[in-house]
Amino acid sequence: MSGNSGQLSITICEAKLTRDTETFSKMDPFVVMKYKDQTHKTKVKDEAGKRPVWNQNFKIYVQNKNDEIKFGVYDKDMFSEDTVGETTIKVWNLLGANNGDNIWHKIFYNKKEAGELRLETKF
């Protein structure tokens, strides 16, 4: 295995959301992570509002540290899903100095900040 490829463990920990898609109730947030042809989805956190905690771990095989992973935070509704915010992060940006990190990443909706998503990674 070259130093550029390998298994990346990503724990989608929690979010601090500033954008609220609900008027009368609390949001039911979940996260979708996409890397190439792989898609991973957290559980929906019913009534978690703007401070959901998932602590769900996913493992993906990364081909290149320059590749990008897309993260989207969504609110599950009865018949649809509302986008709360999204971000795209390069793999090397998830690793920090020690091939792993625990950091908050800003998410955006229509180019405006919509909150932060905390990710814990290990390569």
Side-chain angles (χ1 to χ4, degrees), residues 27-45:
M27 292 189 293
D28 304 318
F30 66 97
V31 178
V32 175
M33 175 178 73
K34 290 183 181 173
Y35 172 72
K36 297 201 179 283
D37 60 350
Q38 302 172 58
T39 300
H40 297 280
K41 185 175 166 181
T42 65
K43 292 182 172 82
V44 174
K45 287 297 180 173

Side-chain angles (χ1 to χ4, degrees), residues 54-118:
W54 297 280
N55 286 324
Q56 272 187 263
N57 182 268
F58 301 97
K59 290 183 176 26
I60 58 175
Y61 186 81
V62 175
Q63 294 162 1
N64 190 311
K65 289 182 183 174
N66 284 317
D67 288 343
E68 295 180 333
I69 302 175
K70 183 176 180 181
F71 296 88
V73 180
Y74 303 94
D75 173 27
K76 178 91 174 116
D77 288 326
M78 188 81 78
F79 302 109
S80 65
E81 296 165 355
D82 295 326
T83 302
V84 178
E86 298 173 321
T87 191
T88 302
I89 306 168
K90 287 202 178 284
V91 171
W92 60 263
N93 215 12
L94 289 169
L95 301 180
N98 303 312
N99 271 339
D101 215 339
N102 182 342
I103 193 165
W104 289 94
H105 297 272
K106 291 183 187 323
I107 61 169
F108 300 89
Y109 182 79
N110 284 343
K111 297 185 178 156
K112 292 191 182 111
E113 202 174 309
E116 295 180 301
L117 184 63
R118 187 166 68 87

